[in-house]
Amino acid sequence: MNTFKVGIVGYGNLGRGVEVGLKNTKDLELVGIFSRRDPKQLDTTSPAYHIDELDSFKDEIDVLLLCGGSQKDLPVQAPQLAENFNTVDTYDNHNEIPTHFEKLDKVAKENNTVAVLSTGWDPGLFSLNRLFAEAILPEGDTYTFWGPGLSQGHSDAVRRVEGVKQAVQYTMPQEKMVEDVKNKKKVDYNKLSAHKRVVYVVLEEQAEQDKVKEAIITMPDYFEGYETEVHFIDEDTFASEHTGMPHGGTVLRQGQTSDKQTSVYQFALDLDSNPEFTAAVAIAYARAAAKLAREKVFGAKTVFDIAPGYLSPKDPADLRRELL
Amino acid sequence: MNTFKVGIVGYGNLGRGVEVGLKNTKDLELVGIFSRRDPKQLDTTSPAYHIDELDSFKDEIDVLLLCGGSQKDLPVQAPQLAENFNTVDTYDNHNEIPTHFEKLDKVAKENNTVAVLSTGWDPGLFSLNRLFAEAILPEGDTYTFWGPGLSQGHSDAVRRVEGVKQAVQYTMPQEKMVEDVKNKKKVDYNKLSAHKRVVYVVLEEQAEQDKVKEAIITMPDYFEGYETEVHFIDEDTFASEHTGMPHGGTVLRQGQTSDKQTSVYQFALDLDSNPEFTAAVAIAYARAAAKLAREKVFGAKTVFDIAPGYLSPKDPADLRRELL
Ligand SMILES: NC(=O)c1ccc[n+]([C@@H]2O[C@H](COP(=O)([O-])OP(=O)(O)OC[C@H]3O[C@@H](n4cnc5c(N)ncnc54)[C@H](OP(=O)(O)O)[C@@H]3O)[C@@H](O)[C@H]2O)c1
Ligand SMILES: NC(=O)c1ccc[n+]([C@@H]2O[C@H](COP(=O)([O-])OP(=O)(O)OC[C@H]3O[C@@H](n4cnc5c(N)ncnc54)[C@H](OP(=O)(O)O)[C@@H]3O)[C@@H](O)[C@H]2O)c1
């Protein structure tokens, strides 16, 4: 088996997910975690370093897994690090992916590195399935449903409402619509009508339920226009039931192979831990990045550009025998 | 847009599926259907030729879609045709895939052609999902459930029972087990316990139900050991409800991303027409074969070896913008 050495850049949820995920791989070895914070502060038993020390690991690391945030960290860190390292990220700002790609492609080609961007599940596996479904069933419609799953951004927004002590927001697909798509019925899909938002709130002592609820469900951009449920719970319930980071969703395509024959193509994920699964996808693409670099196929790559066999530690003959 | 010219070899269910499927693609043009039978006998309005005329189309066809049977036709036809043409097949004899690959790889490399083998859905898309799921979730178990779907081989076997006038056999997954896997429960899966067989029979006039039923459910290799239901119906019901070729199934993996966190990865197909969907997959891989040949990446290729972007008629920048 090939073995490759990897580093983790950024130690948040995703960085911890990569650290734990690497325990499941025999062919990838963790060299170190690199953070902008004082490495002694990080709650880990893995080797940890300040990010300023990274350049001295240039010859010891085959691929860096970039675990910074998509909003502020990756647009800066990814192009910089791609100068000296092969990289994988989970950049999820869909509108800005083309720009992110162009920046990385230029740096990676100039420096003979491989930069795999926007892995994870959406973008990532969901994107792959949107592509497969559309390429195979050109006549049809694709639907993406997100959830049930915790939305970090919406939870943060609820926590900023006056009177809210703790809060989580789950995005839920409208199950009836999902079933209709599976049952080959016509549906009137839009992102708003296809999802509802379910909020669990622990109130501050003096706060009034009605006021808090009103402030949430009328919040523009976040809740306005969505079917929103608000549940008030106590702190113990919050602590025992709402501290995980579950997520998932479904990509569905109804396609006509001929006038009267329909195919339903379905891909679904149900994840106890969104960051751990996202990390697991990024890890498989880190293996792919290392193989591509060895073959000198430099530049920016997305999940669309990488043959699936690269993701596996098994060799092609074993894959054909065992999995085809 | 690139446009490619294709030919169909063999005009059975799959060949007809490719013919109808090509009506949904703007970038692939059908040059002709090539059959071992007298082309005048074929019930088609497309150009049809005897297979002996194929060599004279060498310069007019970019890719041949091989639609012969896996048992007898493809092992002979595929290596022969790969000498002069780029080819795609749906070879589904799982145990013999490594041999089929080796034969095709040799011929294709010697003759600078591309031979894509074992596309379709199983092998094909199901294989791809087994690979993705295992590469991303190394700790876990993968389950494949087939059906509800018509099994040609089992239907044929029932039709050979004395007293049977018409028959179809549907393979059905045990729904309870599928639900258990989705719900992250442990299951005791084996192919037999995970499926049941449902048979619809139209009897010959003198035939006895009990005898026929007994002969079916005790048939070695086909039914013995399976939960089997036998339903007796009249000819009209048979004609109106049991002449389609539906199929599908589900690939599921339960994977641990860490000790207490499970991910469920699911891929499912529900197909009104098995041959039309299989053809649709083969068509997308024909496009990929043509692109690979243009890039001079010769040899045998499986779905594991082909980057997903090759399947789409869209260019990479559009794919990134629209689907990532
Ligand atoms: N493609 C997909 O399917 C998918 C799915 C989920 C998430 N994602 C992406 O993954 C990105 C990372 O998510 P995440 O949940 O890991 O974000 P996060 O926990 O906020 O971590 C982001 C960065 O913030 C810093 N950080 C973390 N905890 C900190 C703390 N306590 N104090 C100060 N700084 C801290 C870390 O960098 P330093 O160690 O350098 O300080 C870390 O790399 C998201 O932005 C999202 O775009 C993608
Ligand atoms: N990978 C997958 O997911 C998948 C799924 C479904 C099927 N398959 C594969 O696809 C293969 C083809 O399936 P199929 O349903 O198209 O088989 P089929 O209808 O039996 O056709 C096979 C060949 O038999 C000949 N033929 C067809 N009808 C005939 C007739 N009336 N009289 C004489 N010859 C006839 C045709 O060759 P000529 O025109 O040269 O005579 C045709 O190419 C199967 O063997 C299976 O392995 C794969």
Side-chain angles (χ1 to χ4, degrees):
Chain A
M1 202 184 334
N2 302 298
T3 61
F4 299 113
K5 293 185 172 164
V6 303
I8 294 172
V9 177
Y11 196 61
N13 299 304
L14 186 62
R16 281 191 301 274
V18 171
E19 183 184 32
V20 73
L22 288 171
K23 297 194 202 311
N24 293 329
T25 63
K26 294 194 186 67
D27 59 329
L28 301 177
E29 187 195 324
L30 179 61
V31 173
I33 295 166
F34 300 86
S35 170
R36 290 162 297 188
R37 286 166 288 161
D38 177 356
K40 290 193 209 76
Q41 285 181 14
L42 305 183
D43 181 19
T44 177
T45 56
S46 304
Y49 306 92
H50 192 272
I51 197 166
D52 289 347
E53 297 184 63
L54 192 46
D55 278 352
S56 67
F57 286 85
K58 199 177 140 132
D59 298 327
E60 283 176 58
I61 288 178
D62 295 302
V63 188
L64 285 181
L65 287 123
L66 309 190
C67 301
S70 292
Q71 215 52 38
K72 294 188 178 153
D73 303 338
L74 294 174
V76 181
Q77 289 184 335
Q80 270 171 15
L81 296 171
E83 284 183 24
N84 286 318
F85 294 93
N86 304 307
T87 61
V88 172
D89 73 38
T90 65
Y91 186 75
D92 72 354
N93 192 347
H94 291 263
N95 290 332
E96 296 298 321
I97 288 174
T99 310
H100 192 55
F101 178 91
E102 294 304 335
K103 281 201 293 184
L104 284 174
D105 199 43
K106 187 161 179 293
V107 175
K109 283 188 175 144
E110 281 170 6
N111 294 280
N112 288 349
T113 60
V114 175
V116 182
L117 59 138
S118 298
T119 72
W121 61 276
D122 196 0
L125 298 185
F126 273 24
S127 323
L128 270 180
N129 280 281
R130 288 188 283 258
L131 185 153
F132 277 115
E134 180 186 284
I136 290 163
L137 299 167
E139 293 297 312
D141 294 294
T142 300
Y143 305 93
T144 303
F145 294 94
W146 290 272
L150 179 91
S151 161
Q152 208 62 71
H154 286 78
S155 301
D156 289 345
V158 175
R159 277 192 287 270
R160 287 191 295 264
V161 169
E162 211 187 303
V164 172
K165 190 169 182 183
Q166 287 283 15
V168 281
Q169 193 265 196
Y170 300 100
T171 304
M172 314 276 270
Q174 296 283 12
E175 282 305 334
K176 168 82 170 63
M177 195 181 286
V178 179
E179 285 312 307
D180 283 352
V181 177
K182 289 187 193 169
N183 291 325
K184 305 174 186 168
K185 293 186 188 149
K186 285 230 168 297
V187 298
D188 185 19
Y189 174 101
N190 64 60
K191 246 179 163 177
L192 262 79
S193 66
H195 297 92
K196 65 177 176 180
R197 303 199 170 281
V198 181
V199 183
Y200 292 87
V201 173
V202 181
L203 285 177
E204 301 276 9
E205 263 186 31
Q206 257 73 31
E208 284 172 45
Q209 282 199 7
D210 291 356
K211 265 199 184 161
V212 168
K213 183 175 171 180
E214 189 62 22
I216 295 169
I217 65 179
T218 58
M219 199 186 296
D221 299 334
Y222 285 88
F223 293 95
E224 207 182 31
Y226 281 92
E227 181 185 336
T228 302
E229 284 175 20
V230 183
H231 302 278
F232 294 94
I233 57 177
D234 61 37
E235 267 191 288
D236 289 348
T237 311
F238 190 90
S240 66
E241 292 173 21
H242 299 287
T243 51
M245 297 182 77
H247 221 309
T250 306
V251 174
L252 280 158
R253 186 169 178 91
Q254 289 176 339
Q256 301 300 126
T257 50
S258 64
D259 284 355
K260 286 182 185 147
Q261 310 279 319
T262 302
S263 293
V264 180
Y265 176 112
Q266 186 193 340
F267 177 74
L269 293 171
D270 171 0
L271 314 171
D272 285 353
S273 167
N274 176 1
E276 287 186 9
F277 185 80
T278 303
V281 178
I283 289 170
Y285 279 99
R287 177 181 293 121
K291 293 185 193 173
L292 288 167
R294 202 178 44 191
E295 296 174 10
K296 303 191 190 306
V297 187
F298 302 124
K301 310 283 165 200
T302 75
V303 296
F304 298 159
D305 306 317
I306 297 178
Y310 283 96
L311 304 187
S312 173
K314 293 182 176 169
D315 78 31
D318 289 337
L319 289 176
R320 285 191 293 272
R321 198 174 40 246
E322 295 174 23
L323 298 178
L324 200 62
Chain B
M1 203 183 334
N2 301 299
T3 61
F4 299 113
K5 293 186 171 163
V6 303
I8 294 172
V9 177
Y11 196 63
N13 299 305
L14 187 62
R16 282 191 300 274
V18 172
E19 183 184 31
V20 74
L22 288 171
K23 296 194 205 309
N24 294 329
T25 62
K26 294 196 186 66
D27 59 330
L28 301 177
E29 185 194 325
L30 179 61
V31 172
I33 295 166
F34 300 86
S35 171
R36 290 161 299 187
R37 286 167 286 161
D38 178 356
K40 290 193 210 75
Q41 284 181 14
L42 305 183
D43 181 19
T44 177
T45 55
S46 305
Y49 306 92
H50 192 271
I51 196 166
D52 290 347
E53 296 184 63
L54 192 46
D55 278 352
S56 67
F57 286 85
K58 199 176 141 133
D59 299 326
E60 282 176 58
I61 288 178
D62 295 302
V63 189
L64 284 181
L65 286 122
L66 308 189
C67 300
S70 293
Q71 216 50 38
K72 295 187 178 152
D73 303 337
L74 294 174
V76 182
Q77 289 183 335
Q80 271 171 14
L81 295 171
E83 283 183 25
N84 286 318
F85 294 93
N86 304 307
T87 61
V88 173
D89 74 38
T90 65
Y91 185 76
D92 73 355
N93 192 347
H94 291 263
N95 290 332
E96 296 297 320
I97 287 174
T99 310
H100 192 57
F101 179 91
E102 295 303 335
K103 282 200 292 185
L104 284 174
D105 199 43
K106 188 162 179 293
V107 176
K109 283 187 174 146
E110 282 169 6
N111 294 279
N112 288 350
T113 61
V114 175
V116 182
L117 59 139
S118 298
T119 72
W121 60 276
D122 196 0
L125 297 186
F126 273 24
S127 323
L128 270 182
N129 280 281
R130 288 187 284 259
L131 185 153
F132 278 117
E134 180 185 286
I136 291 163
L137 299 167
E139 292 299 312
D141 293 294
T142 301
Y143 305 92
T144 304
F145 295 94
W146 291 272
L150 179 92
S151 161
Q152 209 62 71
H154 286 78
S155 300
D156 289 346
V158 175
R159 277 192 288 269
R160 287 190 296 264
V161 170
E162 210 188 304
V164 172
K165 191 169 183 182
Q166 287 282 15
V168 281
Q169 194 265 193
Y170 300 101
T171 303
M172 314 276 268
Q174 297 283 13
E175 283 305 334
K176 168 81 169 66
M177 195 180 287
V178 179
E179 286 311 308
D180 282 352
V181 177
K182 288 187 194 170
N183 292 325
K184 305 174 186 169
K185 292 187 189 150
K186 285 229 168 298
V187 299
D188 186 18
Y189 173 100
N190 64 61
K191 247 180 163 177
L192 262 79
S193 66
H195 297 91
K196 65 178 176 180
R197 303 200 170 282
V198 180
V199 184
Y200 291 87
V201 173
V202 181
L203 285 178
E204 300 278 9
E205 263 185 31
Q206 258 72 33
E208 284 172 46
Q209 283 200 8
D210 290 356
K211 266 198 184 161
V212 169
K213 181 174 173 179
E214 189 63 20
I216 294 170
I217 65 178
T218 59
M219 198 186 296
D221 300 334
Y222 286 88
F223 293 95
E224 207 183 32
Y226 281 93
E227 181 185 336
T228 302
E229 285 175 20
V230 183
H231 302 278
F232 294 95
I233 57 177
D234 61 36
E235 269 192 286
D236 289 348
T237 311
F238 190 91
S240 66
E241 291 174 21
H242 298 287
T243 51
M245 298 182 76
H247 220 309
T250 307
V251 174
L252 280 158
R253 187 169 178 91
Q254 288 176 339
Q256 301 301 125
T257 50
S258 63
D259 284 354
K260 286 181 185 149
Q261 309 281 317
T262 303
S263 293
V264 179
Y265 176 113
Q266 185 192 343
F267 177 75
L269 293 171
D270 172 0
L271 315 172
D272 284 353
S273 167
N274 177 1
E276 287 186 8
F277 185 81
T278 304
V281 178
I283 289 169
Y285 278 99
R287 177 181 292 122
K291 294 185 192 174
L292 288 166
R294 201 179 45 190
E295 296 174 7
K296 303 191 189 305
V297 188
F298 302 123
K301 310 283 165 200
T302 75
V303 296
F304 299 159
D305 306 316
I306 297 178
Y310 283 95
L311 303 186
S312 173
K314 294 182 175 169
D315 78 31
D318 288 337
L319 289 176
R320 286 192 292 272
R321 198 174 40 245
E322 294 174 22
L323 297 178
L324 201 60

